Amino acid sequence: MKAYVCPPTNKDDGGMLDPTVGGCRTRCGSRTDRQTADLSILSHPDHDGETETYRVSIGHLFLLRCLFADNHDSVTWSRGGWGRDPSLPPGVEVREGLLWFLPVQMSHDGFYTCEKRDPHRAVRATFGVSVSRGQCPDPPENKSLSLEVPGSLSCKQKEIFNLTHTRNVRWMKDCRPIEGGGRVTVDEGGILRLSAASQEDSGKYTCLVDISVDGQKYTAARSIRVTVDKVVEGTLVVKPEVVYPQHKVVVVEEGARVELKCLASIGFSEDRETLMYWTVNETYSEAHKELGFSWNFVRRRGMVFGESTLSISNVRRHFLNVPISCCVLNSAGFQKGVAWLQEADHRALHTAVGLGLSSSLALLLLFALLLFFRVDLVLACRKLLRPFSKRAPDGKLYDAYVSFLPPDAPRSAATASLALGLLPEELETQHGYSLYIPGRDDCPGDAVHDVVAATVRRCRRLIIIISPEANRPPHGRTEEQLCYEQKVGLHDALTLNDPRVILVEVGGAVDYSRLPESLRYVRRRQGALRWSSTGAASTSFWKSLRYHMPPVPPPSDQPGWVVCGQPAVRGGSACSPGVSMNPEAMVESS
C-alpha cells in the first residue's frame, strides 16, 4: 500500500493529519472531507494493502492492534465484517484494546472488525487473518537488498516487543535455523544484519520471538521475502528506518528550552523525494509558534542518513505526555520515531527535603527535651537501674564531705539548718547516701591536718556551702577564707578531678569576685546550686543536688555506720571501742 504526503503549505488548517500514513497524518484533502467521514477502513503496513489480510501460521502467538486506537481507548472487537457475529472464537480474547490469539488455530481464519466510538462518530476497521499450517507464515512484506552492500532485517512485531516479558529472538531462512556469526549477526533488539548481501541471501526470512505469557510459553512469528539485486546508480530507493528516537522519554521543566534529535537511514543516495517533518500529538510542528525544525542529509559508513532537529523554545503544558513524532517519507515507504516529554518529578526531592527537615526538627526537639529534662531522666534511670547495679571498689568511705565558707558559717541559722538538718534528712535518710559533716562526725584529734586531708580524699564529692558572709574576706586576703579541707579538696578537684566539687549558695547572693580564684574557676566551669526553702524551688534544688551526687548503691553494697573516719564494727568503733553503730547510741556516747 503506497502512502503519499502533501508538503505543509498552509498553517490555517490547524495542522491536522490524515490517518493513512502509519500514524503520522498528511494534509491531503480538505478539513470538510475528513470530518464527514465517520466510518473508516484502515490498512496496516505489515499486511497486504489490497486484501487487508495478515499472514499467520498455526500454533503461534499473534497480537492484532486497532490502528486508530491506543491502549487507553475503549475498543470493541467482533468476528466477521460489520454487523457480524459480536462473539470471538475460543482462544481469541481482548486485552487492553489488542486482539490476542492464544495461540493461532485454523478456526481463527477469517475477518475481524474493531470499532472505536466517541460522542461524535464511530470509527471501524476490518482486518483479515489468513492461517497456514506451515511452521513459517507467508511473508506479507518484500524487501530488496543491494548486492555486496550491508543490509538489515527487522522483526517488526511491535506489539510483541512492547510486552514487558523476557523474550528470545531467533531467525530462520527458508524455515531453517540461521547460525549467528560471520556475515550474519543478530543484535539485542532482534535485528538481523548482513555485513555484505550476496545472491545466496535471497529467500524467506522468519523472525521467531519466544515469550512467556501467563506462565505459558508461546512463539510469535513474522516472515519477510528478501531479494538481493545489483545496485543501479540513482535507481535504488530504500524504505527509511528511524535510528532514533525510539519511544524515548525526555525529562524537562515546563517553560524550558529543549531540542530533540532525529536520525533516519535513507539509503545509498540523497533521494529528492525524501521528506522529514515533525508532529506533536498528530499536529504539524508549524502549527505551534514555539516549535521549529531543520533537517539535512549526512553520510556515514557509505550510507545516507537524514538528520533533523526539533527546537522547542518554550515547553508548554500541552507538549507534555503526548507523542512527538519524527516522520520520514519517501517513495519506498514511511517510518516514524516517537519521543515523549515528561515533566520532571520533584516529589522525591520534596519528600527527601521534608523528611530531612522533619528529622532535623525531631532531633532538635528531642535534644531540647533531653536538655530540659536531663536531671529527671538521669535520676529516673538511676532509680530503675539501682537494683541491678554494683558499685566498683574505689577506696571511698563517704559519698560527700560537707564544708562551709566562711568556716564559721554554721553559726548562721540557715546554714546550720541546711548542713546539719536538711542535708542528712534528704540525702542520708531518704536516699541512702553517706555524708561526712564536721561537727557531727569528727572525733577528738580529727582537726589534725593529715586526718582532715585523708578524710576529704575518702569522699566522692566535696559540698561547699557558701553564705553571703564570704563576701567580706578578713584583712582583704581572699585565700584566708578557705579552711584546710577546702584547700585540699579544691586542689585535688582541680588537679585530679577527685573529689568533684558541688557549690551550694545559701542565704542570698554571693559576690565571687571577692572569693579565691580556685572557687571562681569552679563557679565558671560548672555553676552553683542555690538553696531555697520554697516548695518548687526546694524540689528543683534537691533534684539538682542528687543529679550531681554519685549514683546511690544498692542496699547490699551500702557500708555500715562509719565512726570517726573508720568503718564501725559491731560492738565498737575505731575511735571509741564499745560504742554501738546505732545513731542514738552515738549521740549518747558523745
Side-chain angles (χ1 to χ4, degrees), residues 443 561-564 566-581:
C443 294
W561 285 96
V562 180
V563 180
C564 302
Q566 299 293 332
V569 295
R570 187 175 301 276
S573 73
C575 175
S576 177
V579 178
S580 170
M581 291 189 296

Side-chain angles (χ1 to χ4, degrees), residues 66-224:
C66 196
L67 299 182
F68 47 77
D70 56 30
N71 293 346
H72 304 288
D73 292 330
S74 178
V75 178
T76 302
W77 286 90
S78 59
R79 179 74 180 268
W82 300 347
R84 299 293 182 88
D85 185 3
S87 63
L88 297 174
V92 180
E93 58 184 74
V94 180
R95 296 186 184 183
E96 297 182 349
L98 296 176
L99 196 62
W100 289 59
F101 295 78
L102 295 165
V104 174
Q105 304 172 19
M106 288 302 300
S107 60
H108 295 162
D109 191 279
F111 290 93
Y112 296 85
T113 299
C114 67
E115 179 180 3
K116 174 187 173 184
R117 287 185 175 271
D118 58 39
H120 305 290
R121 63 176 184 174
V123 183
R124 301 183 183 90
T126 297
F127 307 93
V129 176
S130 177
V131 182
S132 63
R133 296 185 179 276
Q135 181 182 4
C136 300
D138 296 333
E141 175 188 1
N142 294 325
K143 182 168 184 176
S144 296
L145 299 179
S146 300
L147 186 64
E148 298 180 355
V149 174
S152 62
L153 303 177
S154 175
C155 275
K156 293 188 178 180
Q157 301 186 60
K158 178 181 177 182
E159 286 74 19
I160 297 295
F161 278 87
N162 284 342
L163 299 177
T164 56
H165 298 75
T166 304
R167 58 180 177 267
N168 176 53
V169 179
R170 300 177 288 123
W171 281 87
M172 303 181 74
K173 180 177 180 293
D174 298 328
C175 273
R176 290 191 295 271
I178 297 177
E179 296 182 0
R183 296 186 308 105
V184 181
T185 58
V186 179
D187 63 17
E188 294 181 357
I191 297 178
L192 184 144
R193 301 186 184 277
L194 301 172
S195 60
S198 65
Q199 294 287 353
E200 297 177 354
D201 293 327
S202 298
K204 182 173 74 171
Y205 287 80
T206 303
C207 177
L208 303 173
V209 182
D210 301 320
I211 192 169
S212 178
V213 178
D214 299 335
Q216 297 290 328
K217 293 183 178 180
Y218 295 95
T219 299
R222 182 181 181 276
S223 298
I224 305 173

Side-chain angles (χ1 to χ4, degrees), residues 346-465:
H346 297 297
R347 289 178 297 178
L349 177 61
H350 294 162
T351 301
V353 172
L355 289 176
L357 291 176
S358 302
S359 302
S360 301
L361 292 176
L363 289 176
L364 289 176
L365 180 60
L366 179 62
F367 178 76
L369 292 175
L370 290 176
L371 190 64
F372 188 78
F373 295 104
R374 69 184 186 281
V375 173
D376 299 88
L377 290 175
V378 170
L379 294 180
C381 290
R382 288 180 181 177
K383 185 176 181 180
L384 291 174
L385 298 177
R386 182 183 178 188
F388 311 102
S389 62
K390 186 176 181 64
R391 177 178 288 174
D394 56 1
K396 307 292 186 179
L397 291 179
Y398 303 98
D399 290 309
Y401 187 106
V402 181
S403 183
F404 314 95
L405 187 68
D408 58 353
R411 299 171 188 173
S412 167
T415 305
S417 174
L418 176 64
L420 301 176
L422 297 177
L423 277 178
E425 174 67 23
E426 178 74 19
L427 297 182
E428 290 184 332
T429 305
Q430 295 188 26
H431 297 287
Y433 286 105
S434 60
L435 303 179
Y436 184 93
I437 304 176
R440 185 196 71 169
D441 300 322
D442 46 359
C443 294
D446 277 0
V448 179
H449 287 177
D450 292 342
V451 176
V452 172
T455 304
V456 171
R457 290 180 177 128
R458 300 177 80 176
C459 298
R460 298 181 179 87
R461 299 289 186 271
L462 172 60
I463 299 176
I464 300 179
I465 301 177

